Amino acid sequence: EVQLVESGGGLVQPGGSLRLSCSASGFTFSSYAMHWVRQAPGKGLEYVSAISSNGGSTYYADSVKGRFTISRDNSKNTLYLQMSSLRAEDTAVYYCVKTKYSYGPGPFDYWGQGTLVTVSS
Amino acid sequence: DIVMTQSPDSLAVSLGERATINCKSSQSVLYSSNNKNYLAWYQQKPGQPPKLLIYWASTRESGVPDRFSGSGSGTDFTLTISSLQAEDVAVYYCQQYYSTLTFGPGTKVDIK
């Protein structure tokens, strides 16, 4: 059974940093690109970041470029999102997401339960 | 980036009646080399993560009830719930994965 379990969320002051983790199991983690999607309270879904299966290629939404860093440790089946210079508008539930296919573009077939990041003084 | 729009923003349908949600992309998400539309639909219930319902515009994900169906091609797509059940109350999102992934703003479905 595929499981994605996020951790690391919490309350942080504006300008602060936080590192999210996503522990994956139930599939060959090293074969799949992985993604982060966020959802501000009461709002829609925003695609934040992605990383290729070997970590060699990354993507960032303009809203987080230069402030967030995605990485992965395939030996630990874990995905990370290092967030710095946090702003109030980064407040959201952050979901770790798996693509349906191990190659090429595809929909997201598994989502974690999400971890809440609140940026406030 | 491809911009996704959805209509209506919300709708209320009687139990057992049909619900129809529309999704439009700012450019075609049909890949001509394989004739596939890179379009998915998700269902999100309160307090839960989104759940994949439909991909390739019309392929139902395993375990999804057959009252859910997707149609359309190019830039215009539709999600249909043929007979609304109480458990279908949720927000529904379309998503394109033709290029940098983008989501529609969502459509809230309620019981009338």
Side-chain angles (χ1 to χ4, degrees):
Chain A
E1 177 194 5
V2 172
Q3 286 197 327
L4 299 169
V5 180
E6 302 96 337
S7 61
L11 175 64
V12 60
Q13 292 188 338
S17 299
L18 213 54
R19 187 176 85 155
L20 306 183
S21 299
C22 171
S23 177
S25 61
F27 66 104
T28 306
F29 180 74
S30 60
S31 295
Y32 289 82
M34 295 295 294
H35 311 258
W36 291 97
V37 174
R38 69 183 180 183
Q39 186 169 37
K43 303 297 185 182
L45 302 168
E46 181 187 10
Y47 185 52
V48 173
S49 185
I51 188 167
S52 60
S53 57
N54 65 3
S57 178
T58 57
Y59 163 83
Y60 300 95
D62 287 344
S63 57
V64 307
K65 200 173 294 182
R67 301 187 299 120
F68 289 13
T69 302
I70 191 171
S71 62
R72 64 192 296 161
D73 186 337
N74 286 345
S75 68
K76 296 181 178 179
N77 289 351
T78 303
L79 175 71
Y80 303 100
L81 187 67
Q82 178 68 48
M83 305 185 294
S84 60
S85 302
L86 283 162
R87 307 166 180 166
E89 54 265 37
D90 296 318
T91 295
V93 173
Y94 285 74
Y95 294 105
C96 167
V97 189
K98 171 189 169 291
T99 315
K100 186 172 179 66
Y101 305 112
S102 60
Y103 57 92
F108 296 151
D109 60 346
Y110 286 94
W111 299 62
Q113 285 299 309
T115 187
L116 176 63
V117 173
T118 303
V119 184
S120 174
S121 54
Chain B
D1 290 358
I2 297 176
V3 177
M4 308 299 290
T5 56
Q6 291 182 229
S7 62
D9 294 336
S10 64
L11 74 162
V13 175
S14 300
L15 289 172
E17 296 300 305
R18 179 184 300 260
T20 301
I21 301 168
N22 300 300
C23 173
K24 190 175 182 68
S25 56
S26 60
Q27 62 189 75
S28 176
V29 298
L30 173 63
Y31 193 39
S32 56
S33 66
N34 58 12
N35 201 37
K36 287 188 173 184
N37 288 283
Y38 286 52
L39 189 285
W41 289 96
Y42 298 85
Q43 174 194 64
Q44 187 178 30
K45 298 181 179 180
Q48 296 184 18
K51 172 188 173 184
L52 177 64
L53 295 177
I54 303 283
Y55 56 101
W56 302 129
S58 61
T59 301
R60 203 176 299 115
E61 176 72 332
S62 175
V64 173
D66 60 8
R67 64 180 180 273
F68 291 93
S69 63
S71 63
S73 183
T75 61
D76 293 279
F77 301 90
T78 300
L79 174 70
T80 301
I81 309 172
S82 60
S83 176
L84 191 75
Q85 305 300 304
E87 60 265 33
D88 300 335
V89 170
V91 178
Y92 293 83
Y93 296 93
C94 61
Q95 175 210 39
Q96 64 79 21
Y97 46 98
Y98 180 90
S99 63
T100 304
L101 293 91
T102 48
F103 292 93
T107 294
K108 185 176 182 181
V109 174
D110 272 321
I111 304 295
K112 185 187 291 182

